[in-house]
Amino acid sequence: MSDRDRKPLFHRGGAKPFVKGRKSAVRPVWRSRDSDADGPAILYGWHTVSAALANPERRIRKLLVTENAARRLAEEGIDTRVPPEMVRPSVIDQRLGPDAVHQGLLAEADPLPSPDINTLEPEGIVLVLDQITDPHNVGAILRSAAAFAVKAIVTTARHSPEATGVLAKSASGALELVPLVTVQNLARALIALNERGFLTVGLDSQGSEDLGQVALRQPLALVLGAEGKGLRQLTRETCSVVARLDMPGEIKSLNVSNAAVLALYIGASRLGLMRK
């Protein structure tokens, strides 16, 4: 979600906008996933690309490396899996734009498969994203999800960013660690989670009680809405509980990715997952 929508989520809002560079050859970092979703995922940056290279489920199509990056890959004993193409940093700059911090690495790879929601084990925590469109936010949420051992992230096929480019860079390798479950209808997905025993907790400023006071249990699904819009009405109605995040300070607004961290910490602490 961009800063164009200033209405706060959970009394919380204000995502950092994506600053566009010059025109690049890669695809846009956000659009409906049902438009030409068969192209390669564009991965760049050290953590993002090295994690992809270490993931046996990720098929690498092409790897561009600079001399310095190639030396570092060799020093750390990282298998490139495909013959790398040595290029000058300016070549990668031209692909990504001047503001991308690529650290001399760019890979084209097949997208990872999306598991079926009915294959999720009823344990631990999953995150459900209701039309969060900012790739920086979704990438940051992925990184936090990996840190808290989240089992999966459920997101919609439309009105969500593709797992490529800025999202992958912001995730800093977490894209290879946390499964992304893509669904056509979020309300039906929540019903499926409810039927499989998940406690589905929506986070919204109009929640009936603070998340810290809700009787949480495993398996737990935390549902986050887009900044500005928050949870859609049908999403809210399908959740088992709708809770808010209360904070004691003067500033009452949080970026949705920061709200996700706070909710994950509360959930993991209450469920005893922090001891693992």
Side-chain angles (χ1 to χ4, degrees):
M1 186 74 186
S2 70
D3 262 349
R4 289 193 299 268
D5 297 306
R6 292 289 187 175
K7 183 181 175 183
L9 171 67
F10 329 127
H11 296 294
R12 301 138 172 71
K16 181 180 179 181
F18 172 57
V19 180
K20 294 183 179 179
R22 61 176 179 242
K23 288 185 178 179
S24 68
V26 297
R27 301 175 303 159
V29 294
W30 178 86
R31 66 177 184 282
S32 175
R33 287 189 184 175
D34 53 5
S35 60
D36 185 30
D38 295 327
I42 304 301
L43 311 174
Y44 63 90
W46 179 261
H47 294 295
T48 303
V49 175
S50 61
L53 292 173
N55 183 3
E57 295 186 7
R58 176 75 82 170
R59 178 176 176 266
I60 306 296
R61 297 187 185 183
K62 186 176 183 179
L63 181 64
L64 304 183
V65 301
T66 62
E67 183 178 352
N68 287 340
R71 185 182 303 113
R72 183 177 177 185
L73 288 169
E75 290 173 349
E76 299 196 14
I78 296 175
D79 183 4
T80 62
R81 295 169 50 190
V82 297
E85 181 180 339
M86 295 287 291
V87 298
R88 301 178 71 85
S90 59
V91 173
I92 302 179
D93 290 339
Q94 290 170 2
R95 289 289 308 275
L96 300 174
D99 298 322
V101 182
H102 54 73
Q103 298 165 297
L105 285 173
L106 184 149
E108 295 181 7
D110 284 355
L112 291 170
S114 173
D116 188 280
I117 194 166
N118 292 314
T119 65
L120 294 181
E121 293 294 330
E123 61 182 15
I125 301 175
V126 302
L127 288 178
V128 181
L129 309 185
D130 187 9
Q131 296 193 349
I132 299 176
T133 60
D134 188 318
H136 293 92
N137 277 336
V138 177
I141 290 170
L142 266 163
R143 186 173 183 176
S144 298
F148 282 94
V150 166
K151 301 302 182 182
I153 290 181
V154 179
T155 186
T156 52
R158 300 185 63 191
H159 304 294
S160 61
E162 289 189 86
T164 185
V166 171
L167 184 154
K169 181 65 165 65
S170 300
S172 193
L175 195 57
E176 314 300 322
L177 302 173
V178 183
L180 278 178
V181 178
T182 304
V183 298
Q184 296 297 324
N185 185 292
L186 197 67
R188 284 201 293 267
L190 286 170
I191 290 171
L193 291 175
N194 287 332
E195 291 176 345
R196 300 194 67 220
F198 281 82
L199 175 65
T200 52
V201 180
L203 298 178
D204 190 273
S205 61
Q206 303 304 313
S208 58
E209 57 185 313
D210 179 66
L211 179 63
Q213 304 303 316
V214 175
L216 301 178
R217 61 166 175 80
Q218 295 190 59
L220 173 66
L222 296 171
V223 188
L224 296 121
E227 292 184 46
K229 295 185 297 182
L231 296 176
R232 289 176 294 167
Q233 183 65 29
L234 187 56
T235 302
R236 187 182 297 107
E237 292 173 353
T238 312
C239 290
S240 305
V241 181
V242 179
R244 63 184 185 273
L245 291 171
D246 291 338
M247 293 174 292
E250 293 297 323
I251 294 178
K252 301 297 183 181
S253 63
L254 285 178
N255 173 284
V256 66
S257 62
N258 292 331
V261 174
L262 178 56
L264 284 171
Y265 182 81
I266 293 172
S269 298
R270 296 283 302 284
L271 297 177
L273 300 177
M274 300 294 287
R275 295 188 295 271
K276 293 186 177 182

